[in-house]
């Protein structure tokens, strides 16, 4: 998955945290909601600007980051 289509990092937005393009919602926000038991459907109901095609790249971004950390270790 090419998460770069959906995730952006801009110094002036949320202190440079990776955000879903067109929103101020960070990858961390989405991962935190999911780790606390929210489903994709519940997230989309609470945040109507999000869709599944925006949530899945957050998971891909986190997996890629984890893989890069493991390789660098």
């Amino acid at each position: 998955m090419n998460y770069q289509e959906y995730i952006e990092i801009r110094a002036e937005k949320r202190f440079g945290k990776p955000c879903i393009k067109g929103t101020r919602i960070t990858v961390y926000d989405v991962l935190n909601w999911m780790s606390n038991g929210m489903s994709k459907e519940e997230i989309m109901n609470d945040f109507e600007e999000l869709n599944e095609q925006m949530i899945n790249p957050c998971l891909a971004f986190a997996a890629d980051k984890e893989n890069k950390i493991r390789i660098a270790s």
Side-chain angles (χ1 to χ4, degrees), residues 16-30:
K17 294 179 182 175
C19 293
I20 298 172
K21 287 184 179 178
T23 75
R24 294 185 51 79
I25 298 172
T26 67
V27 169
Y28 174 79
D29 292 332
V30 174

Side-chain angles (χ1 to χ4, degrees), residues 4-66:
Q4 291 89 350
E5 293 179 30
Y6 299 95
I7 307 294
E8 66 182 355
I9 299 173
R10 294 178 30 202
E12 69 277 4
K13 186 189 271 188
R14 298 289 304 262
F15 304 101
K17 294 179 182 175
C19 293
I20 298 172
K21 287 184 179 178
T23 75
R24 294 185 51 79
I25 298 172
T26 67
V27 169
Y28 174 79
D29 292 332
V30 174
L31 296 175
N32 188 43
W33 296 328
M34 294 184 86
S35 72
N36 283 302
M38 286 183 78
S39 67
K40 291 177 187 176
E41 291 77 21
E42 289 171 323
I43 294 169
M44 290 184 291
N45 286 335
D46 285 354
F47 300 92
E48 294 178 358
E49 66 270 34
L50 297 181
N51 59 49
E52 191 167 359
Q53 290 74 32
M54 297 168 139
I55 295 172
N56 289 337
C58 294
L59 300 173
F61 179 89
D64 187 50
K65 184 175 180 182
E66 174 63 25

